[in-house]
Amino acid sequence: MQILDLSHVLTNGMPVYPQDPPFILEEIVNFENHSYSLSILKTGLHAGTHIDAPYHFHSSGLKINQINLKDLMGTARIIDVEKEVKAEDLPSLENMDILIIRTSWSNKWGKKEYFKDNPYLSLEAAEIISKSQIKGVGIDGPSVDPPGEITIHQKLLSNGRWIVENLKNLDLIKSPLVEIYFIPLALEGEASPVRAFAKIK
């Protein structure tokens, strides 16, 4: 069995969503002057590979620490889409926990165009997902919405689905069905960086 890492490394200078705060990791104690290292971290919660909890857009929605860990892992179905995920692109959403949208957009990570004209979910597709048993949706791009819009976030999150964005390495998964795990920090907030990984048999 292989464990495939699906997360971008969190590092200084990494790309963040336009207008979001930068990611800053600062070593304030180092081995040159002490016998150990100690760092401080300052970041927006939506940096890198991260999960949006329902509270992101709804005051009564679950925060990250309130999402049951068992609901952040399970059988995922991967679908391949170049641009807009339409209703007809969706498979049967039965017997699966998570829907993963693979667009190869992660190949643009670190380039200016990554946050421009990205792939996204149509409203019709989001409505179908919201009425299904799916726990959450992941995508290898910066958002499930077109740039500058929030309608799809509102639809999914208001119906209790979480969203994972900025996945990578999906092209290395050959099977349409895979076991996927999204492990966030136990934050009392609307989002968290995640260590995302898949089990490949």
Side-chain angles (χ1 to χ4, degrees):
M1 181 183 65
Q2 175 190 2
I3 301 297
L4 180 62
D5 196 343
L6 305 178
S7 302
H8 289 285
V9 176
L10 296 171
T11 184
N12 289 324
M14 65 179 288
V16 296
Y17 199 82
Q19 313 307 317
D20 276 10
F23 177 90
I24 300 173
L25 180 62
E26 181 183 359
E27 190 176 52
I28 57 174
V29 176
N30 56 51
F31 290 105
E32 293 181 4
N33 301 308
H34 302 82
S35 59
Y36 63 98
S37 170
L38 178 65
S39 300
I40 59 173
L41 173 66
K42 184 176 182 180
T43 182
L45 296 181
H46 303 263
T49 307
H50 69 276
I51 182 171
D52 293 343
Y55 183 72
H56 184 30
F57 276 101
H58 297 277
S59 60
S60 60
L62 295 179
K63 296 180 179 180
I64 292 296
N65 64 303
Q66 296 171 325
I67 301 175
N68 196 309
L69 281 175
K70 70 178 182 180
D71 291 332
L72 297 170
M73 57 188 73
T75 301
R77 175 68 181 264
I78 299 176
I79 62 170
D80 292 290
V81 181
E82 290 186 5
K83 188 60 179 178
E84 180 185 21
V85 181
K86 299 178 181 178
E88 55 264 34
D89 296 320
L90 296 176
S92 170
L93 299 181
E94 297 180 359
N95 301 317
M96 52 187 283
D97 304 303
I98 300 164
L99 178 67
I100 300 295
I101 302 164
R102 180 168 57 193
T103 69
S104 295
W105 201 257
S106 60
N107 294 331
K108 300 179 185 291
W109 179 257
K111 300 177 181 179
K112 292 182 179 180
E113 60 263 34
Y114 182 77
F115 295 107
K116 298 179 180 179
D117 201 26
N118 57 269
Y120 57 90
L121 273 168
S122 69
L123 180 57
E124 293 76 15
E127 288 175 341
I128 292 172
I129 293 168
S130 296
K131 295 175 182 178
S132 75
Q133 64 179 8
I134 292 295
K135 300 172 183 176
V137 176
I139 190 169
D140 57 354
S143 179
V144 292
D145 274 288
E149 298 187 20
I150 59 173
T151 303
I152 306 305
H153 274 81
Q154 290 175 325
K155 172 60 68 174
L156 294 176
L157 298 174
S158 67
N159 284 281
R161 274 53 177 188
W162 45 257
I163 302 166
V164 171
E165 295 163 327
N166 297 324
L167 289 167
K168 73 168 189 178
N169 286 338
L170 294 182
D171 292 340
L172 300 179
I173 301 175
K174 306 305 179 183
S175 173
L177 290 174
V178 66
E179 288 295 310
I180 282 189
Y181 300 77
F182 298 123
I183 310 301
L185 299 173
L187 286 172
E188 191 175 2
E190 87 288 352
S192 171
V194 296
R195 192 66 183 267
F197 59 93
K199 285 185 177 180
I200 309 296
K201 296 181 179 179

